[in-house]
Amino acid sequence: MTNPTRTRGDGTVYLVGAGPGDPGLLTLRGGELLVTCDAIVYDALANPALLALAEATEREQPVELYDVGKRGGASESARQDEINELLIRLARDGKRVVRLKGGDPFVFGRGSEEAEALAREALRFEIVPGVTAGIAAPAYAGIPVTHRGAATSVTFVTGHEDPAKEATTVDWSALARAGGTIVLYMGVKTLPRISDALVNGGMAATVPAAAVQWGTYPRQRTVTATLGTLAAAIEREGLTAPVITVIGPVVSLRETIGWFDRRPLFGKTIVVTRARSQSATLSDRLAALGADVVEIPATRIEPIESPAIDEAIERLRDYKWVIFTSQNAVGLFWDALRAAGRDARMLAGVNVAAVGPATADALLSIGVATDLSPERFVAEALLDALRDRGDVRGARVLYATAEGAREVLPDGLVELGALVDRVHLYRSVPSGEGVDELKRRIAAGVDVVTFTSASSVSAFADAVGGDAVAGVQGASIGPITTAAARTMGIDVVVEASDSTIPGLVNALVDHFAKDVT
Ligand code: SAH
């Protein structure tokens, strides 16, 4: 099916560099094309996260995905011909096609051959350069490809050709004499013979050398040695493709400027089970500290519309207290207020309480400063704080919360003699999305699963099933969540002393800092 608003002549193929792996290293132009194109033709080294980004974007018609990375029986050149034909066919159909290639399309990527094929057919194309693995993988390992005093030139070379074969087109001894940094692509298997060729050409076997596997991914691994010993070290450590090899004095800089794999949570796989609308800050923070974050939406927020909400809004000024238990509650309350043609002035003269700082921030963003926020961010503490004020007896209280939330606070307030109206602004519903992926990752072994509420515990248990839950190590935001997790058989190994997202993140960092093996 072609887009009816396009004519055949509009077809364009964009040869886009996907970057080395870290989705953040895709160019802005590349990102823009991924979310607006009609089709994506990709191969093995394109990060699936980029395809997920493209698929998740709403558009008139779903994006067509073509995986051309599978290596069947066909020869390299037959495969390349098929790819060229596919690109030509899609462009002739008037489609805007992203040809997504790992790293940079013109660095050992055969992008130029595809461009030639399109040019021969007089079809339109554009080149969108990418961050090549030969620069990015070393950079993420703390190795600059040039450095004043250490290397004034860099050579990118393919290790695809075996130097032991007569037909080699790489002049290894010239490279050995050139004196700059050598960055080798596709050369894990041929490294023993390449090292020999370089040493025979006059390069010292003692020159520092490093291999970086899966550069810029959370699973990045780096092995450092010398030109003479690297091949054996790679073998010992079991590194296989994709690997970038760097040879030259610049490799020593890793000792001082290594950073990516030295972050506190590097190498840890952490599952984040909050609702999608809230998970961004937790997963962003964990990822920034180096964790491999498996972000599974355990629940999603479903707003509830009810006359009770509208009635509460009309009578807002009659309440002595309005209590919010989450930022979602604040957001949805604000939506309801606006839908009723009202705004924050309706809260003039009303006391506002928030259960924690994120809720208080959400209130501030709608122009409302909270009058009360407890020291510990749990309902019990807020209840104590309200009791201490001694002004709730006989007072009208509006309790704005989620369906199925704990009743400690409203029940306690009723006991204190308050007249409590409970309005449920939303419910958290388990989301089927990503459940298979979650099960797969848990079976493969994760370090810890985070829980930010009692409902995230039950949603997680619903998603993966009872057997998978027992024995999982959990990190909890506070005592109530911990108790809920323990009843499910989860081994809670981390509990935040400060029940906030930053508090949970700090507790995880402390936990893994202790676990030096
Ligand atoms: N066009 C790509 C290179 C394609 S050739 C680019 O510009 O990066 C494929 C080779 O690239 C692999 O064999 C490996 O040597 C290297 N490579 C690609 N991605 C890599 C990564 N994330 N980490 C290490 N090496 C990588």
Side-chain angles (χ1 to χ4, degrees), residues 20 45 102-104 107-109 132-133 137 185-186 212 214-215 217 242-244:
L45 279 176
D104 180 276
V107 179
F108 304 127
T132 188
Y185 291 69
M186 297 175 282
V212 187
W214 287 115
Y217 282 87
V243 168
I244 284 287

Side-chain angles (χ1 to χ4, degrees), residues 158-184:
T158 169
H160 200 56
E161 293 187 13
D162 190 334
K165 285 194 188 138
E166 292 204 351
T168 179
T169 48
V170 182
D171 185 347
W172 294 101
S173 50
L175 281 181
R177 288 190 307 271
T181 305
I182 297 176
V183 173
L184 190 63

Side-chain angles (χ1 to χ4, degrees), residues 44-202:
L45 279 176
N47 188 334
L50 297 179
L51 302 176
L53 166 82
E55 279 190 288
T57 310
E58 251 180 67
R59 41 184 128 203
E60 273 170 45
Q61 281 177 18
V63 60
E64 297 168 27
L65 297 180
Y66 298 90
D67 178 358
V68 294
K70 299 239 165 66
R71 276 153 214 267
S75 71
E76 281 288 307
S77 58
R79 259 186 68 231
Q80 190 58 56
D81 288 346
E82 280 172 28
I83 294 171
N84 295 351
E85 277 160 28
L86 175 65
L87 295 176
I88 290 166
R89 176 167 67 74
L90 292 170
R92 287 217 176 108
D93 274 352
K95 299 217 162 104
R96 298 175 75 241
V97 184
V98 166
R99 170 67 177 117
L100 191 65
K101 302 184 79 75
D104 180 276
F106 278 9
V107 179
F108 304 127
R110 307 190 74 160
S112 41
E113 292 168 45
E114 293 169 15
E116 281 181 313
L118 294 162
R120 271 196 299 272
E121 301 293 324
L123 289 164
R124 265 196 263 170
F125 62 88
E126 278 184 29
I127 315 299
V128 183
V131 177
T132 188
I135 294 176
Y140 272 46
I143 302 169
V145 292
T146 71
H147 185 74
R148 204 156 50 88
T152 50
S153 70
V154 51
T155 306
F156 298 108
V157 56
T158 169
H160 200 56
E161 293 187 13
D162 190 334
K165 285 194 188 138
E166 292 204 351
T168 179
T169 48
V170 182
D171 185 347
W172 294 101
S173 50
L175 281 181
R177 288 190 307 271
T181 305
I182 297 176
V183 173
L184 190 63
Y185 291 69
M186 297 175 282
V188 218
K189 286 207 191 107
T190 47
L191 187 62
R193 289 179 299 281
I194 290 173
S195 313
D196 287 349
L198 288 169
V199 173
N200 290 337

